[in-house]
Structures are given as structure tokens and as C-alpha cells.
Amino acid sequence: MVQRRVVITGIGVVSPYGNGVPALIEGIEKGRSTIRRMEGWDQFGGLKSHVGAPAELTNEKRIPRQKRRSMGRIGLFAAQAAEEALADSGLTVPERSWRTGCIIGSTIGSTKSLNDAFEIILKDKDIGLINSTTVFQCMSHTAASNVAQYLGLNGYIMATSAACASSLHAIGTGYDLIRLGRQDFLLCGGADELHPIVTGSFDALFATSTKYNDSPTMTPRPFDRDRDGLVCGEGSGVVVLEDYEKAVSRNAKIYAEITGFSTTGSGSHISQSDRESMVYCMKSALGDARVSPNDVDYVNAHATATLQGDQEEAEAIREVFGSAIPVSAFKGYIGHTLGAAGVIELIATLVMMEKGVIYPTLNLENVSHECEGLDHVMKPRNSELNVILKNGFAFGGISAALVCKNVKIQEK
């Protein structure tokens, strides 16, 4: 069976910098942190980390109320990112097409809506007080289903749920569906929202940054000697995937071709990162892409700034690529956007490919000794990027890696 080539022809983002890809790139290029001390979080007993990277909802009332009612924050973020990506691609959704869909992952449904629902239920012990729209905001596939309803998508509608690897899983699944000829184009990505419950779940696992509550822009610190954990953020990212030949035939802008994807499970520990699993995942993605480690020009790291996670990832990258590969990470700018992290960071990397520049890791000032042996990018660097690898890792021992190639198209 001849497999189709799969390309990215549209990108859309809602991030802590604001709505739209330009806001994301401008913020990163200015080296501006979006991390802040979260007002009111000190009222939650036992919560040690009081920092986060919130995104502001803007222009959400452009979405008709009938569609908007079933969207929590996570659904609104996803709808806005998807709308930008679709417009950027130049595609229109065919009426009643079974070959146009979306795959959008997240950790869970809308955390705020879930919290609000339980506050109502637990107060009066009356489940009948919950309305139907709250149910649709809370369901685990709320982002995918609401985007599909909003844009009128009738094909594959799926929600990948693998915590922080969710959006890379979404893109990898879309890549398979299109190259196997099962869909014509797909909107793929992820969305998540910030809430004390979210940060608290990481807090309980001793994974959050707690030393910088009074100096929030100094954290997180990926690969840095003084890193002390992750900072949660929120937002959404969506990319449009389509068949290469169809994209060329309509003279579409192509950001990159997806040439390889892999995902693995460690099977060894529910919360700790595993170097061996990471190594196998990256090598498998490279094998799928039919490229060698020497062909890769840049690795965009997951790098959450946890002590053990950064060490394991640094050792894994070093084992696969050696010491010469340029590596940087984006969580110092926008925090860990959880289920949206992989796609938002991929989008920033695609823009780097287009501009021929590598954005540095923010807050990386002194490379930790256990993360040494890599070419850590600590200042903006001009560089031609033809092949990149994007990492994403998650609780449950899950690893994901995506390989993209820069494609230069001559008009027919």
C-alpha cells in the first residue's frame, strides 16, 4: 500500500501571551515570561505552588451562544485555536463530509466546570441542580466535540487523553489517518486550562515549583541548576494536517511535512520519567521518518523543569544524538500547558523553521551538571532547520516523539 505524505498547512494558538500565533511568537522573541503569582491561590490549604501562566479569554462571544454554552474554558480555547488554524490553511469545511474531522486531546474536561459542578452537588447533595451544558463542559472529549460542533466537522472526531502527551498523540493519530487514506484533512492538537486543582495534583506529587512564589518570572527553569519543578499554564494549539498532493494542488502554504511519529510506555513507574523508554521512542520516530540522528538539526525538548524529568530527558537526548544537537524548550516562557504543550511548542518550532532561528530556553542560566553534554541554546541563534524532533512526555510512563521536515514547494 502506497502511503500518502502528510503536511501541516495551518496553525492556530491561544496561549498565555494572548490569542493567535503572532502573539505567541512576539512574546517568545521578546523573552517575556508569562508566569505570575496567582491571586487567591493562597486560600487553598496544602497548596504549595502559587504560580501559574493564565491565558485570557478574549472575543469568545464571537462564537454563537448556542455553540458557546457547552464550552468551558478548555472548549473556548480549542474553538478559537481551531478557527485560526482553519483560516490559516485556506481550507473550508465541506458540508456533510465524512472525511474531515478533528482530534483534540486534553488531560480531563474543563477543570473549572468540574469544580463548580461538585461545589453545587456537595453543598445540597442534589445532582438535579446540574444542567446539561455543564455535563458537556466536563466530559473528557469536550474540546474535540465542541470544535466539531462549532465548525461542522463530520469525519473522525477523537479525543486523545494521555496527560501532557495528549496533543502529540492527537497529531500522531491524525498523521496515521491521513497517510493511510482514511481522512482528507484533520484539525489536530490539544487544550487545557489552569486551576488550583490542576496545580494541586502536581503539587501532591512534589512536581511543582514552590521556591519562586515571590519571584514568578524566575521559574520554571528547564535544565537549570536551580530548577525546582513545573509551573502549570493553559491554552490550546491546533494544526491542520492534509495530504501533500492536495496541498500542492491548491498551492497551500506548507509549514512542514510530518515524516515520523512514535509513542511508548515505560511499564515501570506511574510518575517517574524513564530514559530507556524515551530513547526507544525517539529512535522509533526517527526510524519511521527514515532519517538518522545526524540528519536532525534541532530537538525541542519537553523539559518541564522537574529534577528527575529533565535529567532523564537530557540523558536520553544525549544517548540518541550525542552532544552536538541544539536543544531548547519553551516552558520557561508559558509554563506547562499540559495537554496543549506538545502542539503549542511544535507550532513555535515550525515558525523557527520558517525564520531560520532557534529560540533559547528561558531561565536557563547555569546548566545542571546532570543535564550537561548537550548543545543547550541559551541565546537566540540563526540556524537552518530542515529536520526537527519534538518530544512530549507524560505521567503513566508515556513518551511521544514527532519528526518534521522542512518542505520547499515549487508552484506547479
Side-chain angles (χ1 to χ4, degrees):
M1 177 182 177
V2 177
Q3 294 185 349
R4 299 193 293 180
R5 297 170 65 183
V6 182
V7 292
I8 298 171
T9 57
I11 54 179
V13 165
V14 176
S15 79
Y17 287 120
N19 280 24
V21 175
L24 173 70
I25 300 307
E26 180 184 9
I28 292 175
E29 289 183 340
K30 289 183 176 179
R32 180 168 59 87
S33 168
T34 61
I35 314 302
R36 68 181 70 170
R37 187 179 180 107
M38 299 300 295
E39 184 178 352
W41 280 22
D42 53 2
Q43 69 180 297
F44 291 91
L47 185 64
K48 298 180 288 294
S49 180
H50 296 165
V51 291
E56 183 180 351
L57 280 171
T58 58
N59 300 321
E60 68 271 22
K61 290 188 177 179
R62 286 184 60 253
I63 300 171
R65 185 175 181 276
Q66 183 181 5
K67 303 289 187 182
R68 196 174 70 245
R69 290 173 62 222
S70 59
M71 299 178 182
R73 287 175 64 82
I74 186 175
L76 292 166
F77 289 151
Q80 291 179 330
E83 192 170 35
E84 181 187 17
L86 186 62
D88 184 47
S89 74
L91 289 164
T92 56
V93 177
E95 186 175 352
R96 304 300 285 178
S97 167
W98 311 112
R99 299 183 59 83
T100 301
C102 70
I103 308 172
I104 302 177
S106 63
T107 52
I108 53 177
S110 170
T111 316
K112 182 182 183 303
S113 299
L114 282 163
N115 179 80
D116 293 348
F118 279 113
E119 284 188 351
I120 293 170
I121 293 171
L122 294 175
K123 180 181 177 182
D124 297 314
K125 301 290 191 296
D126 186 354
I127 295 176
L129 296 174
I130 301 300
N131 60 42
S132 60
T133 56
T134 299
V135 173
F136 297 130
Q137 293 171 13
C138 294
M139 60 191 187
S140 60
H141 63 305
T142 185
S145 59
N146 273 296
V147 166
Q149 292 295 313
Y150 178 45
L151 298 178
L153 305 174
N154 304 118
Y156 277 62
I157 311 300
M158 301 173 66
T160 48
S161 182
C164 310
S166 294
S167 59
L168 285 189
H169 275 192
I171 296 169
T173 302
Y175 164 59
D176 282 340
L177 287 172
I178 290 177
R179 68 173 169 168
L180 293 174
R182 301 198 173 201
Q183 293 283 273
D184 291 331
F185 78 85
L186 290 163
L187 287 86
C188 299
D192 253 313
E193 61 185 63
L194 180 64
H195 192 276
I197 291 176
V198 176
T199 294
S201 66
F202 289 99
D203 223 16
L205 297 167
F206 307 101
T208 55
S209 175
T210 61
K211 297 178 182 177
Y212 300 94
N213 287 334
D214 295 323
S215 50
T217 60
M218 294 179 65
T219 192
R221 308 179 67 82
F223 299 122
D224 191 78
R225 178 189 64 195
D226 299 316
R227 71 190 187 281
D228 75 323
L230 62 83
V231 175
C232 293
E234 64 180 353
S236 177
V238 174
V239 295
V240 174
L241 308 187
E242 67 175 300
D243 170 54
Y244 169 86
E245 296 296 340
K246 286 184 170 61
V248 172
S249 69
R250 66 183 187 86
N251 198 29
K253 176 179 179 177
I254 294 178
Y255 287 93
E257 178 181 0
I258 299 176
T259 55
F261 173 75
S262 181
T263 183
T264 57
S266 69
S268 60
H269 200 287
I270 194 69
S271 64
Q272 297 300 321
S273 302
D274 181 81
R275 178 190 56 80
E276 185 178 357
S277 177
M278 293 174 175
V279 167
Y280 183 87
C281 186
M282 286 186 280
K283 286 184 175 180
S284 180
L286 294 173
D288 187 38
R290 298 182 180 179
V291 297
S292 73
N294 292 333
D295 296 321
V296 178
D297 301 303
Y298 168 76
V299 172
N300 185 258
H302 185 64
T304 61
T306 59
L307 296 177
Q308 199 256 357
D310 282 14
Q311 178 178 344
E312 293 291 305
E313 183 174 11
E315 290 177 354
I317 294 171
R318 188 165 59 243
E319 180 172 337
V320 175
F321 295 100
S323 60
I325 187 77
V327 177
S328 69
F330 292 133
K331 290 181 177 66
Y333 299 91
I334 59 174
H336 190 350
T337 55
L338 308 172
V343 64
I344 292 176
E345 294 163 12
L346 173 66
I347 287 170
T349 303
L350 295 176
V351 175
M352 291 197 318
M353 292 178 72
E354 184 178 25
K355 293 190 172 188
V357 65
I358 299 177
Y359 300 136
T361 303
L362 188 63
N363 290 331
L364 177 54
E365 297 174 348
N366 299 286
V367 177
S368 177
H369 73 275
E370 66 268 17
C371 299
E372 292 175 347
L374 298 176
D375 181 12
H376 289 287
V377 180
M378 299 169 70
K379 294 181 179 179
R381 181 188 303 180
N382 293 327
S383 180
E384 184 177 353
L385 303 179
N386 290 312
V387 180
I388 64 94
L389 182 140
K390 171 69 189 124
N391 276 335
F393 307 117
F395 284 149
I398 296 172
S399 299
L402 187 78
V403 179
C404 293
K405 177 183 178 183
N406 196 355
V407 179
K408 297 181 174 60
I409 304 290
Q410 297 294 327
E411 288 189 12
K412 286 190 171 183

